[in-house]
Amino acid sequence: EVQLVESGGGLVQPGGSLRLSCAASGFTFSAYDMYWVRQAPGKGLEWVASISISGTYIFYADSVKGRFTISRDNGKNSLYLQMNSLRAEDTAVYYCARRHLMAWTFDFWGQGTLVTVSS
Amino acid sequence: QSALTQPASVSGSPGQSITISCSGASSDLSGYNYVSWYQQHPGKAPKVMIYDVTNRPSGVSNRFSGSKSGDTASLTISGLQAEDEADYYCSSHTSSNIWVFGGGTKVTVL
């Protein structure tokens, strides 16, 4: 069974840092491009970052560029998001998602982890 | 990185058909067939219903169908059922290797 389990969310003060993790199981993690997508409370979905299978190609949304870093460890079947200089507007549920092998779509999502940035 | 445009809400009675539109800039939609539609129930993760404009993943009801014309993609739900009540988001991969989402459409079954 495919599973993506996010962890690391919580309450952090503005300007602080947090590292999210996503543990993958049930599929060959190293064969899939992976993504972070977030959803602010009561709002829509927002793509955050992408990483290719070997980590060679990485892309960020303008809203997080220079503050967030996506990475992966294929040996540990894990995806990460290091978030620095956090702002109130970064408050959201953060989902990790897998891209379909043969299509440009997110075919499986984790259940998400909530990040709250507040003093 | 502008978002795609969707109506905020669409409603219909059980058994009816509804269509949700999704419009975007030419760089987002018209040149690529990479539009997806996601269904999200409250408190749950999104689930892909349509990908590459018209393709339906295994296990998704054939009551869901997708199409695209120029800068506008559409999701049609036929034979509307109570379980279809949810938020729906369109999304597209773009030429700049970024992903854009629509603002979401709340579907209400009357």
Side-chain angles (χ1 to χ4, degrees), chain A residues 35 39 44-45 61-62 95 103-106 109-110, chain B residues 1 34 36 38 40 45-46 48 52 89 99 101:
Chain A
Y35 299 78
Q39 185 170 35
L45 300 170
D62 286 346
Y95 296 100
W104 290 98
T105 193
F106 305 129
W109 301 61
Chain B
Q1 298 172 348
Y34 300 147
S36 294
Y38 301 92
Q40 187 181 34
V48 60
D52 290 353
Y89 295 90
W99 296 73
F101 283 92

mmCIF file with all atom_site columns, all heavy atoms in Angstrom, chain A residues 35 39 44-45 61-62 95 103-106 109-110, chain B residues 1 34 36 38 40 45-46 48 52 89 99 101:
data_model
loop_
_atom_site.group_PDB
_atom_site.id
_atom_site.type_symbol
_atom_site.label_atom_id
_atom_site.label_alt_id
_atom_site.label_comp_id
_atom_site.label_asym_id
_atom_site.label_entity_id
_atom_site.label_seq_id
_atom_site.pdbx_PDB_ins_code
_atom_site.Cartn_x
_atom_site.Cartn_y
_atom_site.Cartn_z
_atom_site.occupancy
_atom_site.B_iso_or_equiv
_atom_site.pdbx_formal_charge
_atom_site.auth_seq_id
_atom_site.auth_comp_id
_atom_site.auth_asym_id
_atom_site.auth_atom_id
_atom_site.pdbx_PDB_model_num
ATOM 1   N N   . TYR A 1 35  ? 6.953   16.346 -4.408  1.00 0.00 ? 35  TYR A N   1
ATOM 2   C CA  . TYR A 1 35  ? 6.496   17.731 -4.295  1.00 0.00 ? 35  TYR A CA  1
ATOM 3   C C   . TYR A 1 35  ? 6.003   18.046 -2.889  1.00 0.00 ? 35  TYR A C   1
ATOM 4   O O   . TYR A 1 35  ? 5.578   17.165 -2.155  1.00 0.00 ? 35  TYR A O   1
ATOM 5   C CB  . TYR A 1 35  ? 5.338   17.966 -5.273  1.00 0.00 ? 35  TYR A CB  1
ATOM 6   C CG  . TYR A 1 35  ? 5.730   17.736 -6.710  1.00 0.00 ? 35  TYR A CG  1
ATOM 7   C CD1 . TYR A 1 35  ? 5.840   16.443 -7.222  1.00 0.00 ? 35  TYR A CD1 1
ATOM 8   C CD2 . TYR A 1 35  ? 6.024   18.808 -7.551  1.00 0.00 ? 35  TYR A CD2 1
ATOM 9   C CE1 . TYR A 1 35  ? 6.241   16.228 -8.526  1.00 0.00 ? 35  TYR A CE1 1
ATOM 10  C CE2 . TYR A 1 35  ? 6.417   18.600 -8.860  1.00 0.00 ? 35  TYR A CE2 1
ATOM 11  C CZ  . TYR A 1 35  ? 6.524   17.309 -9.339  1.00 0.00 ? 35  TYR A CZ  1
ATOM 12  O OH  . TYR A 1 35  ? 6.926   17.094 -10.641 1.00 0.00 ? 35  TYR A OH  1
ATOM 13  N N   . GLN A 1 39  ? -1.732  24.345 1.953   1.00 0.00 ? 39  GLN A N   1
ATOM 14  C CA  . GLN A 1 39  ? -3.093  24.866 1.944   1.00 0.00 ? 39  GLN A CA  1
ATOM 15  C C   . GLN A 1 39  ? -3.316  25.664 3.217   1.00 0.00 ? 39  GLN A C   1
ATOM 16  O O   . GLN A 1 39  ? -3.396  25.081 4.314   1.00 0.00 ? 39  GLN A O   1
ATOM 17  C CB  . GLN A 1 39  ? -4.099  23.725 1.836   1.00 0.00 ? 39  GLN A CB  1
ATOM 18  C CG  . GLN A 1 39  ? -5.534  24.170 1.692   1.00 0.00 ? 39  GLN A CG  1
ATOM 19  C CD  . GLN A 1 39  ? -6.459  23.016 1.356   1.00 0.00 ? 39  GLN A CD  1
ATOM 20  O OE1 . GLN A 1 39  ? -6.271  21.889 1.813   1.00 0.00 ? 39  GLN A OE1 1
ATOM 21  N NE2 . GLN A 1 39  ? -7.473  23.280 0.542   1.00 0.00 ? 39  GLN A NE2 1
ATOM 22  N N   . GLY A 1 44  ? -7.182  27.781 -0.787  1.00 0.00 ? 44  GLY A N   1
ATOM 23  C CA  . GLY A 1 44  ? -6.923  26.797 -1.817  1.00 0.00 ? 44  GLY A CA  1
ATOM 24  C C   . GLY A 1 44  ? -5.529  26.198 -1.741  1.00 0.00 ? 44  GLY A C   1
ATOM 25  O O   . GLY A 1 44  ? -4.735  26.495 -0.846  1.00 0.00 ? 44  GLY A O   1
ATOM 26  N N   . LEU A 1 45  ? -5.256  25.335 -2.697  1.00 0.00 ? 45  LEU A N   1
ATOM 27  C CA  . LEU A 1 45  ? -3.964  24.652 -2.761  1.00 0.00 ? 45  LEU A CA  1
ATOM 28  C C   . LEU A 1 45  ? -2.914  25.550 -3.413  1.00 0.00 ? 45  LEU A C   1
ATOM 29  O O   . LEU A 1 45  ? -3.226  26.309 -4.330  1.00 0.00 ? 45  LEU A O   1
ATOM 30  C CB  . LEU A 1 45  ? -4.107  23.358 -3.565  1.00 0.00 ? 45  LEU A CB  1
ATOM 31  C CG  . LEU A 1 45  ? -5.101  22.340 -3.023  1.00 0.00 ? 45  LEU A CG  1
ATOM 32  C CD1 . LEU A 1 45  ? -5.335  21.222 -4.045  1.00 0.00 ? 45  LEU A CD1 1
ATOM 33  C CD2 . LEU A 1 45  ? -4.603  21.753 -1.706  1.00 0.00 ? 45  LEU A CD2 1
ATOM 34  N N   . ALA A 1 61  ? 8.203   27.863 -5.638  1.00 0.00 ? 61  ALA A N   1
ATOM 35  C CA  . ALA A 1 61  ? 7.289   28.971 -5.845  1.00 0.00 ? 61  ALA A CA  1
ATOM 36  C C   . ALA A 1 61  ? 7.979   30.255 -5.427  1.00 0.00 ? 61  ALA A C   1
ATOM 37  O O   . ALA A 1 61  ? 8.813   30.262 -4.514  1.00 0.00 ? 61  ALA A O   1
ATOM 38  C CB  . ALA A 1 61  ? 6.023   28.763 -5.026  1.00 0.00 ? 61  ALA A CB  1
ATOM 39  N N   . ASP A 1 62  ? 7.643   31.352 -6.088  1.00 0.00 ? 62  ASP A N   1
ATOM 40  C CA  . ASP A 1 62  ? 8.257   32.636 -5.759  1.00 0.00 ? 62  ASP A CA  1
ATOM 41  C C   . ASP A 1 62  ? 8.054   32.989 -4.286  1.00 0.00 ? 62  ASP A C   1
ATOM 42  O O   . ASP A 1 62  ? 8.912   33.625 -3.666  1.00 0.00 ? 62  ASP A O   1
ATOM 43  C CB  . ASP A 1 62  ? 7.657   33.749 -6.626  1.00 0.00 ? 62  ASP A CB  1
ATOM 44  C CG  . ASP A 1 62  ? 8.158   33.698 -8.065  1.00 0.00 ? 62  ASP A CG  1
ATOM 45  O OD1 . ASP A 1 62  ? 9.154   32.998 -8.330  1.00 0.00 ? 62  ASP A OD1 1
ATOM 46  O OD2 . ASP A 1 62  ? 7.540   34.355 -8.922  1.00 0.00 ? 62  ASP A OD2 1
ATOM 47  N N   . TYR A 1 95  ? 1.335   19.343 2.481   1.00 0.00 ? 95  TYR A N   1
ATOM 48  C CA  . TYR A 1 95  ? 1.204   17.993 1.956   1.00 0.00 ? 95  TYR A CA  1
ATOM 49  C C   . TYR A 1 95  ? 2.436   17.628 1.136   1.00 0.00 ? 95  TYR A C   1
ATOM 50  O O   . TYR A 1 95  ? 2.936   18.453 0.370   1.00 0.00 ? 95  TYR A O   1
ATOM 51  C CB  . TYR A 1 95  ? 0.002   17.897 1.011   1.00 0.00 ? 95  TYR A CB  1
ATOM 52  C CG  . TYR A 1 95  ? -1.348  18.128 1.626   1.00 0.00 ? 95  TYR A CG  1
ATOM 53  C CD1 . TYR A 1 95  ? -1.995  19.354 1.508   1.00 0.00 ? 95  TYR A CD1 1
ATOM 54  C CD2 . TYR A 1 95  ? -2.018  17.095 2.287   1.00 0.00 ? 95  TYR A CD2 1
ATOM 55  C CE1 . TYR A 1 95  ? -3.259  19.562 2.047   1.00 0.00 ? 95  TYR A CE1 1
ATOM 56  C CE2 . TYR A 1 95  ? -3.277  17.289 2.823   1.00 0.00 ? 95  TYR A CE2 1
ATOM 57  C CZ  . TYR A 1 95  ? -3.891  18.520 2.706   1.00 0.00 ? 95  TYR A CZ  1
ATOM 58  O OH  . TYR A 1 95  ? -5.146  18.708 3.235   1.00 0.00 ? 95  TYR A OH  1
ATOM 59  N N   . ALA A 1 103 ? 2.617   10.869 -16.153 1.00 0.00 ? 103 ALA A N   1
ATOM 60  C CA  . ALA A 1 103 ? 1.744   12.020 -16.394 1.00 0.00 ? 103 ALA A CA  1
ATOM 61  C C   . ALA A 1 103 ? 2.100   13.162 -15.455 1.00 0.00 ? 103 ALA A C   1
ATOM 62  O O   . ALA A 1 103 ? 2.689   12.951 -14.397 1.00 0.00 ? 103 ALA A O   1
ATOM 63  C CB  . ALA A 1 103 ? 0.281   11.623 -16.187 1.00 0.00 ? 103 ALA A CB  1
ATOM 64  N N   . TRP A 1 104 ? 1.726   14.353 -15.874 1.00 0.00 ? 104 TRP A N   1
ATOM 65  C CA  . TRP A 1 104 ? 1.977   15.531 -15.049 1.00 0.00 ? 104 TRP A CA  1
ATOM 66  C C   . TRP A 1 104 ? 0.798   15.760 -14.119 1.00 0.00 ? 104 TRP A C   1
ATOM 67  O O   . TRP A 1 104 ? -0.006  16.662 -14.291 1.00 0.00 ? 104 TRP A O   1
ATOM 68  C CB  . TRP A 1 104 ? 2.220   16.749 -15.941 1.00 0.00 ? 104 TRP A CB  1
ATOM 69  C CG  . TRP A 1 104 ? 3.512   16.656 -16.661 1.00 0.00 ? 104 TRP A CG  1
ATOM 70  C CD1 . TRP A 1 104 ? 3.707   16.231 -17.941 1.00 0.00 ? 104 TRP A CD1 1
ATOM 71  C CD2 . TRP A 1 104 ? 4.808   16.950 -16.126 1.00 0.00 ? 104 TRP A CD2 1
ATOM 72  N NE1 . TRP A 1 104 ? 5.047   16.256 -18.240 1.00 0.00 ? 104 TRP A NE1 1
ATOM 73  C CE2 . TRP A 1 104 ? 5.744   16.685 -17.152 1.00 0.00 ? 104 TRP A CE2 1
ATOM 74  C CE3 . TRP A 1 104 ? 5.265   17.422 -14.897 1.00 0.00 ? 104 TRP A CE3 1
ATOM 75  C CZ2 . TRP A 1 104 ? 7.113   16.878 -16.976 1.00 0.00 ? 104 TRP A CZ2 1
ATOM 76  C CZ3 . TRP A 1 104 ? 6.633   17.624 -14.713 1.00 0.00 ? 104 TRP A CZ3 1
ATOM 77  C CH2 . TRP A 1 104 ? 7.535   17.343 -15.740 1.00 0.00 ? 104 TRP A CH2 1
ATOM 78  N N   . THR A 1 105 ? 0.737   14.924 -13.091 1.00 0.00 ? 105 THR A N   1
ATOM 79  C CA  . THR A 1 105 ? -0.302  15.049 -12.089 1.00 0.00 ? 105 THR A CA  1
ATOM 80  C C   . THR A 1 105 ? 0.204   14.463 -10.780 1.00 0.00 ? 105 THR A C   1
ATOM 81  O O   . THR A 1 105 ? 1.125   13.644 -10.773 1.00 0.00 ? 105 THR A O   1
ATOM 82  C CB  . THR A 1 105 ? -1.605  14.341 -12.538 1.00 0.00 ? 105 THR A CB  1
ATOM 83  O OG1 . THR A 1 105 ? -2.681  14.733 -11.691 1.00 0.00 ? 105 THR A OG1 1
ATOM 84  C CG2 . THR A 1 105 ? -1.450  12.820 -12.487 1.00 0.00 ? 105 THR A CG2 1
ATOM 85  N N   . PHE A 1 106 ? -0.384  14.874 -9.684  1.00 0.00 ? 106 PHE A N   1
ATOM 86  C CA  . PHE A 1 106 ? -0.033  14.328 -8.373  1.00 0.00 ? 106 PHE A CA  1
ATOM 87  C C   . PHE A 1 106 ? -0.981  13.170 -8.101  1.00 0.00 ? 106 PHE A C   1
ATOM 88  O O   . PHE A 1 106 ? -2.160  13.387 -7.847  1.00 0.00 ? 106 PHE A O   1
ATOM 89  C CB  . PHE A 1 106 ? -0.168  15.407 -7.296  1.00 0.00 ? 106 PHE A CB  1
ATOM 90  C CG  . PHE A 1 106 ? 0.631   16.649 -7.579  1.00 0.00 ? 106 PHE A CG  1
ATOM 91  C CD1 . PHE A 1 106 ? 0.042   17.899 -7.520  1.00 0.00 ? 106 PHE A CD1 1
ATOM 92  C CD2 . PHE A 1 106 ? 1.972   16.571 -7.904  1.00 0.00 ? 106 PHE A CD2 1
ATOM 93  C CE1 . PHE A 1 106 ? 0.783   19.050 -7.783  1.00 0.00 ? 106 PHE A CE1 1
ATOM 94  C CE2 . PHE A 1 106 ? 2.718   17.707 -8.162  1.00 0.00 ? 106 PHE A CE2 1
ATOM 95  C CZ  . PHE A 1 106 ? 2.117   18.962 -8.107  1.00 0.00 ? 106 PHE A CZ  1
ATOM 96  N N   . TRP A 1 109 ? -1.158  11.635 -2.371  1.00 0.00 ? 109 TRP A N   1
ATOM 97  C CA  . TRP A 1 109 ? -0.884  12.686 -1.405  1.00 0.00 ? 109 TRP A CA  1
ATOM 98  C C   . TRP A 1 109 ? -0.832  12.111 0.007   1.00 0.00 ? 109 TRP A C   1
ATOM 99  O O   . TRP A 1 109 ? -1.549  11.167 0.329   1.00 0.00 ? 109 TRP A O   1
ATOM 100 C CB  . TRP A 1 109 ? -1.999  13.743 -1.425  1.00 0.00 ? 109 TRP A CB  1
ATOM 101 C CG  . TRP A 1 109 ? -2.242  14.433 -2.714  1.00 0.00 ? 109 TRP A CG  1
ATOM 102 C CD1 . TRP A 1 109 ? -2.632  13.871 -3.913  1.00 0.00 ? 109 TRP A CD1 1
ATOM 103 C CD2 . TRP A 1 109 ? -2.156  15.838 -2.954  1.00 0.00 ? 109 TRP A CD2 1
ATOM 104 N NE1 . TRP A 1 109 ? -2.787  14.842 -4.866  1.00 0.00 ? 109 TRP A NE1 1
ATOM 105 C CE2 . TRP A 1 109 ? -2.503  16.059 -4.303  1.00 0.00 ? 109 TRP A CE2 1
ATOM 106 C CE3 . TRP A 1 109 ? -1.840  16.943 -2.154  1.00 0.00 ? 109 TRP A CE3 1
ATOM 107 C CZ2 . TRP A 1 109 ? -2.526  17.335 -4.882  1.00 0.00 ? 109 TRP A CZ2 1
ATOM 108 C CZ3 . TRP A 1 109 ? -1.866  18.208 -2.716  1.00 0.00 ? 109 TRP A CZ3 1
ATOM 109 C CH2 . TRP A 1 109 ? -2.202  18.394 -4.068  1.00 0.00 ? 109 TRP A CH2 1
ATOM 110 N N   . GLY A 1 110 ? -0.006  12.719 0.834   1.00 0.00 ? 110 GLY A N   1
ATOM 111 C CA  . GLY A 1 110 ? -0.046  12.393 2.244   1.00 0.00 ? 110 GLY A CA  1
ATOM 112 C C   . GLY A 1 110 ? -1.231  13.078 2.903   1.00 0.00 ? 110 GLY A C   1
ATOM 113 O O   . GLY A 1 110 ? -1.988  13.797 2.238   1.00 0.00 ? 110 GLY A O   1
ATOM 114 N N   . GLN B 2 1   ? 3.482   34.010 -10.892 1.00 0.00 ? 1   GLN B N   1
ATOM 115 C CA  . GLN B 2 1   ? 2.858   32.694 -10.765 1.00 0.00 ? 1   GLN B CA  1
ATOM 116 C C   . GLN B 2 1   ? 1.383   32.878 -10.407 1.00 0.00 ? 1   GLN B C   1
ATOM 117 O O   . GLN B 2 1   ? 0.951   32.604 -9.294  1.00 0.00 ? 1   GLN B O   1
ATOM 118 C CB  . GLN B 2 1   ? 3.601   31.877 -9.722  1.00 0.00 ? 1   GLN B CB  1
ATOM 119 C CG  . GLN B 2 1   ? 5.037   31.625 -10.087 1.00 0.00 ? 1   GLN B CG  1
ATOM 120 C CD  . GLN B 2 1   ? 5.824   30.985 -8.959  1.00 0.00 ? 1   GLN B CD  1
ATOM 121 O OE1 . GLN B 2 1   ? 5.382   30.915 -7.828  1.00 0.00 ? 1   GLN B OE1 1
ATOM 122 N NE2 . GLN B 2 1   ? 7.048   30.556 -9.256  1.00 0.00 ? 1   GLN B NE2 1
ATOM 123 N N   . TYR B 2 34  ? -1.699  19.332 -19.735 1.00 0.00 ? 34  TYR B N   1
ATOM 124 C CA  . TYR B 2 34  ? -1.310  18.836 -18.420 1.00 0.00 ? 34  TYR B CA  1
ATOM 125 C C   . TYR B 2 34  ? -2.263  19.272 -17.323 1.00 0.00 ? 34  TYR B C   1
ATOM 126 O O   . TYR B 2 34  ? -1.862  19.425 -16.175 1.00 0.00 ? 34  TYR B O   1
ATOM 127 C CB  . TYR B 2 34  ? 0.093   19.318 -18.074 1.00 0.00 ? 34  TYR B CB  1
ATOM 128 C CG  . TYR B 2 34  ? 1.160   18.869 -19.040 1.00 0.00 ? 34  TYR B CG  1
ATOM 129 C CD1 . TYR B 2 34  ? 2.260   19.683 -19.316 1.00 0.00 ? 34  TYR B CD1 1
ATOM 130 C CD2 . TYR B 2 34  ? 1.091   17.630 -19.672 1.00 0.00 ? 34  TYR B CD2 1
ATOM 131 C CE1 . TYR B 2 34  ? 3.248   19.266 -20.195 1.00 0.00 ? 34  TYR B CE1 1
ATOM 132 C CE2 . TYR B 2 34  ? 2.073   17.205 -20.553 1.00 0.00 ? 34  TYR B CE2 1
ATOM 133 C CZ  . TYR B 2 34  ? 3.144   18.037 -20.812 1.00 0.00 ? 34  TYR B CZ  1
ATOM 134 O OH  . TYR B 2 34  ? 4.123   17.634 -21.677 1.00 0.00 ? 34  TYR B OH  1
ATOM 135 N N   . SER B 2 36  ? -5.015  18.901 -14.556 1.00 0.00 ? 36  SER B N   1
ATOM 136 C CA  . SER B 2 36  ? -5.576  17.897 -13.642 1.00 0.00 ? 36  SER B CA  1
ATOM 137 C C   . SER B 2 36  ? -6.699  18.524 -12.830 1.00 0.00 ? 36  SER B C   1
ATOM 138 O O   . SER B 2 36  ? -6.751  19.738 -12.649 1.00 0.00 ? 36  SER B O   1
ATOM 139 C CB  . SER B 2 36  ? -4.511  17.390 -12.661 1.00 0.00 ? 36  SER B CB  1
ATOM 140 O OG  . SER B 2 36  ? -3.496  16.675 -13.317 1.00 0.00 ? 36  SER B OG  1
ATOM 141 N N   . TYR B 2 38  ? -8.654  17.886 -9.012  1.00 0.00 ? 38  TYR B N   1
ATOM 142 C CA  . TYR B 2 38  ? -8.585  17.211 -7.721  1.00 0.00 ? 38  TYR B CA  1
ATOM 143 C C   . TYR B 2 38  ? -9.873  17.453 -6.936  1.00 0.00 ? 38  TYR B C   1
ATOM 144 O O   . TYR B 2 38  ? -10.413 18.553 -6.951  1.00 0.00 ? 38  TYR B O   1
ATOM 145 C CB  . TYR B 2 38  ? -7.391  17.717 -6.904  1.00 0.00 ? 38  TYR B CB  1
ATOM 146 C CG  . TYR B 2 38  ? -6.069  17.506 -7.596  1.00 0.00 ? 38  TYR B CG  1
ATOM 147 C CD1 . TYR B 2 38  ? -5.522  18.496 -8.398  1.00 0.00 ? 38  TYR B CD1 1
ATOM 148 C CD2 . TYR B 2 38  ? -5.375  16.311 -7.467  1.00 0.00 ? 38  TYR B CD2 1
ATOM 149 C CE1 . TYR B 2 38  ? -4.322  18.308 -9.053  1.00 0.00 ? 38  TYR B CE1 1
ATOM 150 C CE2 . TYR B 2 38  ? -4.167  16.104 -8.128  1.00 0.00 ? 38  TYR B CE2 1
ATOM 151 C CZ  . TYR B 2 38  ? -3.653  17.110 -8.923  1.00 0.00 ? 38  TYR B CZ  1
ATOM 152 O OH  . TYR B 2 38  ? -2.464  16.910 -9.579  1.00 0.00 ? 38  TYR B OH  1
ATOM 153 N N   . GLN B 2 40  ? -11.468 17.374 -3.098  1.00 0.00 ? 40  GLN B N   1
ATOM 154 C CA  . GLN B 2 40  ? -11.040 17.400 -1.703  1.00 0.00 ? 40  GLN B CA  1
ATOM 155 C C   . GLN B 2 40  ? -12.248 17.509 -0.784  1.00 0.00 ? 40  GLN B C   1
ATOM 156 O O   . GLN B 2 40  ? -12.980 18.500 -0.823  1.00 0.00 ? 40  GLN B O   1
ATOM 157 C CB  . GLN B 2 40  ? -10.083 18.554 -1.439  1.00 0.00 ? 40  GLN B CB  1
ATOM 158 C CG  . GLN B 2 40  ? -9.488  18.516 -0.031  1.00 0.00 ? 40  GLN B CG  1
ATOM 159 C CD  . GLN B 2 40  ? -8.547  19.680 0.249   1.00 0.00 ? 40  GLN B CD  1
ATOM 160 O OE1 . GLN B 2 40  ? -8.744  20.793 -0.234  1.00 0.00 ? 40  GLN B OE1 1
ATOM 161 N NE2 . GLN B 2 40  ? -7.502  19.421 1.020   1.00 0.00 ? 40  GLN B NE2 1
ATOM 162 N N   . ALA B 2 45  ? -7.064  14.808 2.308   1.00 0.00 ? 45  ALA B N   1
ATOM 163 C CA  . ALA B 2 45  ? -6.106  15.156 1.270   1.00 0.00 ? 45  ALA B CA  1
ATOM 164 C C   . ALA B 2 45  ? -6.799  15.181 -0.089  1.00 0.00 ? 45  ALA B C   1
ATOM 165 O O   . ALA B 2 45  ? -7.802  14.497 -0.296  1.00 0.00 ? 45  ALA B O   1
ATOM 166 C CB  . ALA B 2 45  ? -4.962  14.144 1.256   1.00 0.00 ? 45  ALA B CB  1
ATOM 167 N N   . PRO B 2 46  ? -6.289  15.975 -1.010  1.00 0.00 ? 46  PRO B N   1
ATOM 168 C CA  . PRO B 2 46  ? -6.852  15.972 -2.369  1.00 0.00 ? 46  PRO B CA  1
ATOM 169 C C   . PRO B 2 46  ? -6.686  14.603 -3.034  1.00 0.00 ? 46  PRO B C   1
ATOM 170 O O   . PRO B 2 46  ? -5.773  13.852 -2.709  1.00 0.00 ? 46  PRO B O   1
ATOM 171 C CB  . PRO B 2 46  ? -6.013  17.033 -3.089  1.00 0.00 ? 46  PRO B CB  1
ATOM 172 C CG  . PRO B 2 46  ? -5.474  17.904 -2.004  1.00 0.00 ? 46  PRO B CG  1
ATOM 173 C CD  . PRO B 2 46  ? -5.228  16.977 -0.850  1.00 0.00 ? 46  PRO B CD  1
ATOM 174 N N   . VAL B 2 48  ? -6.827  12.941 -7.068  1.00 0.00 ? 48  VAL B N   1
ATOM 175 C CA  . VAL B 2 48  ? -6.905  13.257 -8.486  1.00 0.00 ? 48  VAL B CA  1
ATOM 176 C C   . VAL B 2 48  ? -8.094  12.552 -9.118  1.00 0.00 ? 48  VAL B C   1
ATOM 177 O O   . VAL B 2 48  ? -8.292  11.355 -8.930  1.00 0.00 ? 48  VAL B O   1
ATOM 178 C CB  . VAL B 2 48  ? -5.586  12.929 -9.212  1.00 0.00 ? 48  VAL B CB  1
ATOM 179 C CG1 . VAL B 2 48  ? -5.220  11.456 -9.118  1.00 0.00 ? 48  VAL B CG1 1
ATOM 180 C CG2 . VAL B 2 48  ? -5.647  13.384 -10.664 1.00 0.00 ? 48  VAL B CG2 1
ATOM 181 N N   . ASP B 2 52  ? -4.106  15.019 -17.266 1.00 0.00 ? 52  ASP B N   1
ATOM 182 C CA  . ASP B 2 52  ? -3.830  15.236 -18.693 1.00 0.00 ? 52  ASP B CA  1
ATOM 183 C C   . ASP B 2 52  ? -5.117  15.562 -19.448 1.00 0.00 ? 52  ASP B C   1
ATOM 184 O O   . ASP B 2 52  ? -5.396  15.003 -20.523 1.00 0.00 ? 52  ASP B O   1
ATOM 185 C CB  . ASP B 2 52  ? -3.133  14.004 -19.298 1.00 0.00 ? 52  ASP B CB  1
ATOM 186 C CG  . ASP B 2 52  ? -1.708  13.836 -18.796 1.00 0.00 ? 52  ASP B CG  1
ATOM 187 O OD1 . ASP B 2 52  ? -1.222  14.747 -18.085 1.00 0.00 ? 52  ASP B OD1 1
ATOM 188 O OD2 . ASP B 2 52  ? -1.080  12.810 -19.090 1.00 0.00 ? 52  ASP B OD2 1
ATOM 189 N N   . TYR B 2 89  ? -10.388 21.383 -7.407  1.00 0.00 ? 89  TYR B N   1
ATOM 190 C CA  . TYR B 2 89  ? -9.321  22.270 -7.834  1.00 0.00 ? 89  TYR B CA  1
ATOM 191 C C   . TYR B 2 89  ? -8.776  21.813 -9.187  1.00 0.00 ? 89  TYR B C   1
ATOM 192 O O   . TYR B 2 89  ? -8.509  20.625 -9.382  1.00 0.00 ? 89  TYR B O   1
ATOM 193 C CB  . TYR B 2 89  ? -8.165  22.262 -6.828  1.00 0.00 ? 89  TYR B CB  1
ATOM 194 C CG  . TYR B 2 89  ? -8.511  22.804 -5.473  1.00 0.00 ? 89  TYR B CG  1
ATOM 195 C CD1 . TYR B 2 89  ? -8.995  21.979 -4.462  1.00 0.00 ? 89  TYR B CD1 1
ATOM 196 C CD2 . TYR B 2 89  ? -8.356  24.162 -5.185  1.00 0.00 ? 89  TYR B CD2 1
ATOM 197 C CE1 . TYR B 2 89  ? -9.326  22.477 -3.212  1.00 0.00 ? 89  TYR B CE1 1
ATOM 198 C CE2 . TYR B 2 89  ? -8.678  24.673 -3.936  1.00 0.00 ? 89  TYR B CE2 1
ATOM 199 C CZ  . TYR B 2 89  ? -9.156  23.826 -2.961  1.00 0.00 ? 89  TYR B CZ  1
ATOM 200 O OH  . TYR B 2 89  ? -9.477  24.332 -1.719  1.00 0.00 ? 89  TYR B OH  1
ATOM 201 N N   . TRP B 2 99  ? 3.969   24.844 -11.033 1.00 0.00 ? 99  TRP B N   1
ATOM 202 C CA  . TRP B 2 99  ? 2.614   24.310 -11.023 1.00 0.00 ? 99  TRP B CA  1
ATOM 203 C C   . TRP B 2 99  ? 1.670   25.390 -10.518 1.00 0.00 ? 99  TRP B C   1
ATOM 204 O O   . TRP B 2 99  ? 1.983   26.087 -9.552  1.00 0.00 ? 99  TRP B O   1
ATOM 205 C CB  . TRP B 2 99  ? 2.530   23.095 -10.098 1.00 0.00 ? 99  TRP B CB  1
ATOM 206 C CG  . TRP B 2 99  ? 3.364   21.945 -10.556 1.00 0.00 ? 99  TRP B CG  1
ATOM 207 C CD1 . TRP B 2 99  ? 4.726   21.847 -10.514 1.00 0.00 ? 99  TRP B CD1 1
ATOM 208 C CD2 . TRP B 2 99  ? 2.898   20.721 -11.126 1.00 0.00 ? 99  TRP B CD2 1
ATOM 209 N NE1 . TRP B 2 99  ? 5.131   20.640 -11.027 1.00 0.00 ? 99  TRP B NE1 1
ATOM 210 C CE2 . TRP B 2 99  ? 4.038   19.925 -11.410 1.00 0.00 ? 99  TRP B CE2 1
ATOM 211 C CE3 . TRP B 2 99  ? 1.635   20.212 -11.417 1.00 0.00 ? 99  TRP B CE3 1
ATOM 212 C CZ2 . TRP B 2 99  ? 3.930   18.657 -11.980 1.00 0.00 ? 99  TRP B CZ2 1
ATOM 213 C CZ3 . TRP B 2 99  ? 1.539   18.945 -11.979 1.00 0.00 ? 99  TRP B CZ3 1
ATOM 214 C CH2 . TRP B 2 99  ? 2.677   18.183 -12.253 1.00 0.00 ? 99  TRP B CH2 1
ATOM 215 N N   . PHE B 2 101 ? -2.449  26.280 -9.430  1.00 0.00 ? 101 PHE B N   1
ATOM 216 C CA  . PHE B 2 101 ? -3.750  25.739 -9.040  1.00 0.00 ? 101 PHE B CA  1
ATOM 217 C C   . PHE B 2 101 ? -4.822  26.810 -9.220  1.00 0.00 ? 101 PHE B C   1
ATOM 218 O O   . PHE B 2 101 ? -4.542  28.009 -9.130  1.00 0.00 ? 101 PHE B O   1
ATOM 219 C CB  . PHE B 2 101 ? -3.751  25.331 -7.556  1.00 0.00 ? 101 PHE B CB  1
ATOM 220 C CG  . PHE B 2 101 ? -3.042  24.037 -7.278  1.00 0.00 ? 101 PHE B CG  1
ATOM 221 C CD1 . PHE B 2 101 ? -1.696  24.025 -6.935  1.00 0.00 ? 101 PHE B CD1 1
ATOM 222 C CD2 . PHE B 2 101 ? -3.720  22.830 -7.336  1.00 0.00 ? 101 PHE B CD2 1
ATOM 223 C CE1 . PHE B 2 101 ? -1.039  22.835 -6.660  1.00 0.00 ? 101 PHE B CE1 1
ATOM 224 C CE2 . PHE B 2 101 ? -3.072  21.628 -7.063  1.00 0.00 ? 101 PHE B CE2 1
ATOM 225 C CZ  . PHE B 2 101 ? -1.728  21.635 -6.727  1.00 0.00 ? 101 PHE B CZ  1
#
